[in-house]
Amino acid sequence: MSENKEEILANFQSISGIDDVGEAFSYLEETNWDLMAAIQRVIPQDDAHSPMDDLPPPTLSHQFLSNNSSSQPNLLNNFSAASLNCRRWENSENSVSERAFAPVASTSTDAEIVDLTSDINLDSKSNESNIIIFNIHYNQQVYTIRLPSNATIESLKSKICDVTSVPTCRQALRGWPPAKLQDAQKPTTQIRNLDLSTENELILIDMTEEGFMDFENDEVTRRLEKTFVLTIVEQPGGQPFKLNFSGRTTVHEVKTSVYYVTEIPVRLQEWTGWPIGCDNNSTLAQSGIGLNHNFILSSSESIPSLSSAVPIRASANAIAIDTDSSADEFEDASDFNTCEEFFTDSLPSLVPTRHLISNNTDDETTGSIEFVENYVKRFGEPHPVFFTGSLENALNEACHKPASERKLLAIYLHHGESILTNVFCDHLMKHESIRQTLAQNFVLYGWDLTHESNKHMFLSSVTACIGNTASLTVRNTPIDKLPSILLIGKSRLSGRSSCEVLSVIHGNVGLDDLLSRLIEVNEMYNEHLQVEIREEEERAARHQVKAEQDMAYEETLQADMAKEAAKRQKDAAIAAERQRLESEKAEEDARRESIRIVAEQSLPTEPIDTESNITKIRVRKPTGEFIERRFHTHNILQDLLNFVAAHGFIIDEYKVISSWPRRDLTSIDPNQTLQSLKLYPQETVILEER
């Protein structure tokens, strides 16, 4: 009951305009929490002149349901109603949020009560008994709508839209039976299944951004699992295409996906058709659009050509039709609805290539070259200079040099599925300061992690060239943090001279932050390099002095030392070769003996001559000699191969050939029986070296 009271209190305050909670609470207590009674007490019903009487009555549509017919608004009508009416009523001088609701007595004038009975064909009194009457309280007026009992909630909302100009996407109806509240939120529910009386009182609330976007939280939760089909017309060409999204997709994610189809960057996208109250963080389930919704999309660079037909106004969160635009102008831009052949759920030909390296690339050098070519094609000029070659070559170019020539290796990690890629490459990597800093102080190497095969190749190379720590860093970087730049350096920062990751810069950084990070790491690295540079210079000086002192001595002993060294080298080479050959021979003998023993132990017991179902198989050696053995016919070919291997003829080195038909028994299934291979009652096979 506490939850119901909170809901009634919120409704009462929003309708009556009473902001003081205590005052609103007292009115509800006096009427025993009867919402309608409390509203009538606050705003008495009389015949006094209402300010609303001076407003023209809303234009009514005359397309209503009868018992024998039904109407389904087409895609274009939904688009026009949901987009135009959302703006026309919002921007009027007396908006919904500024008007107080006043119930109207049954004696109100025709301008206050809209009776639609004349629009329904009633053939008899029995038909009239199936009519359900709805008194819709909205904006200080009561609109009476009569519908047959088999009409749906969608039909009711369509009628309400006709008489109130409140789009169906923003209609919140209160007053349904509590037990049927969930069913009343479903558009396909028939009103006869809602336990309604012949005449019912409903309160209509316009879900604008000022107040009631959270009214249907349960419905929003259900819509999260739905699939939304968005039909988008790209202007000025008027080319329509259709995309499917889940209800959990945000508006920003929709815009990013559309960028891949249209190549219009998100910052330049101008949209028509989003309901008011949406922002980039809103999900489609929260936005208020239908499961099938239509939009017009244009680029801000081409707005002048579009604005002549459809005036557009933009905000930080949404793009909407200007309130001065007419419905005819908007509908002219939506004639694509009749061209179903243009609709498709998949548009592979329109989606630009997201990856920069093809799947299963042959090697790192080929992938690196392809990366640079595709990077330039996709993001254009200017662009930073990338090193082409393998990661090992890039590491040698940057790190494995004398300290005075050494640079940092910057590894740019790309991923085509990351939403940060376009901003990072189009803005940050093109900036002159970034390009100059990378060119002067770093060797820049790029790789694409979009495909798993290429990612595994790169991780193996990182492990081999840099170490496990760097490999784990790359592996554990989530897609939403890519692109990333790994800064690799060789120094004695940890007490040993090796290459390691000095810093990782993720793609969710700004220009200033990226530049400062690059400069900071480079300065820190250069400070440590100065120590190594001084040590190298001192070491070189000592070597020079020692070389001058020893020069005379070296000249006298050089010949003898060279001769002795050559002799020792030759002896060592001969001994090493002898040892290698002996070791290889011993290993090979041990391997062959192991195979022979295993094969011999695997042989089944040899049957005697008197047993039935036996076969005698003779094996001719390469020397011309024969070995033979008896087998049961149900023994398998592997038993015969084991018999051959047990006599020292390894199957890897020899083939077993049957005489007729001639075939290589080592190349067929070894689990087949000798009987199935027709190697009975006797057979001769030949051993041949491979």
Side-chain angles (χ1 to χ4, degrees), residues 265-433:
V266 174
R267 70 183 187 280
L268 299 180
Q269 292 176 13
E270 300 287 349
W271 290 78
T272 298
W274 290 110
I276 192 169
C278 294
D279 57 29
N280 284 335
N281 296 324
S282 300
T283 64
L284 295 182
Q286 297 169 334
S287 66
I289 65 172
L291 297 181
N292 291 275
H293 200 74
N294 304 298
F295 296 98
I296 288 180
L297 170 67
S298 61
S299 172
S300 60
E301 294 178 345
S302 60
I303 284 298
S305 60
L306 179 63
S307 60
S308 60
V310 183
I312 302 294
R313 64 179 179 86
S315 66
N317 297 329
I319 304 299
I321 301 176
D322 193 281
T323 54
D324 295 333
S325 301
S326 66
D328 293 336
E329 290 172 337
F330 184 78
E331 291 175 356
D332 289 342
S334 306
D335 288 338
F336 69 91
N337 190 48
T338 59
C339 302
E340 295 181 358
E341 62 271 16
F342 290 105
F343 293 165
T344 177
D345 291 333
S346 60
L347 300 170
S349 62
L350 297 177
V351 180
T353 302
R354 299 185 184 183
H355 59 265
L356 301 183
I357 301 179
S358 301
N359 194 15
N360 295 316
T361 188
D362 296 333
D363 54 70
E364 290 181 41
T365 301
T366 303
S368 175
I369 295 173
E370 184 182 4
F371 174 91
V372 176
E373 292 176 351
N374 288 333
Y375 185 97
V376 175
K377 288 179 183 178
R378 177 168 176 182
F379 301 108
E381 299 288 350
H383 64 84
V385 179
F386 289 94
F387 178 89
T388 55
S390 65
L391 178 61
E392 182 179 6
N393 293 338
L395 201 61
N396 291 335
E397 179 68 19
C399 301
H400 298 312
K401 286 189 173 184
S404 58
E405 303 176 14
R406 202 175 299 166
K407 289 185 177 181
L408 285 170
L409 175 63
I411 303 178
Y412 168 76
L413 301 178
H414 181 89
H415 200 294
E417 301 297 332
S418 174
I419 62 175
L420 301 175
T421 298
N422 296 319
V423 175
F424 192 87
C425 296
D426 275 334
H427 296 277
L428 276 63
M429 297 292 277
K430 287 188 176 183
H431 196 274
E432 183 178 1
S433 299

Side-chain angles (χ1 to χ4, degrees), residues 394-410 436-444 487-491 499 502 522 525-526 529:
L395 201 61
N396 291 335
E397 179 68 19
C399 301
H400 298 312
K401 286 189 173 184
S404 58
E405 303 176 14
R406 202 175 299 166
K407 289 185 177 181
L408 285 170
L409 175 63
Q436 289 181 353
T437 301
L438 290 173
Q440 294 173 1
N441 305 293
F442 300 86
V443 173
L444 181 61
L487 301 181
I488 310 296
K490 180 182 180 181
S491 64
C499 293
L502 303 182
N522 183 62
Y525 182 68
N526 286 332
L529 277 184

Side-chain angles (χ1 to χ4, degrees), residues 225-279:
E225 309 302 329
K226 301 291 185 180
T227 298
F228 288 75
V229 181
L230 307 185
T231 303
I232 302 169
V233 181
E234 182 182 358
Q235 295 291 1
Q239 176 67 33
F241 56 91
K242 185 184 296 185
L243 298 176
N244 296 345
F245 298 96
S246 70
R248 300 181 182 275
T249 306
T250 64
V251 173
H252 185 271
E253 291 171 344
V254 171
K255 294 178 179 180
T256 303
S257 299
V258 169
Y259 160 70
Y260 290 122
V261 177
T262 64
E263 296 186 333
I264 300 177
V266 174
R267 70 183 187 280
L268 299 180
Q269 292 176 13
E270 300 287 349
W271 290 78
T272 298
W274 290 110
I276 192 169
C278 294
D279 57 29

Side-chain angles (χ1 to χ4, degrees), residues 9 15 79 90 98 204 215 236 240 305 323 380 451 456 488 628:
L9 178 61
I15 295 172
F79 189 77
E90 174 197 63
E98 296 171 350
L204 171 63
F215 171 68
S305 60
T323 54
H451 295 301
H456 293 324
I488 310 296
E628 63 179 36

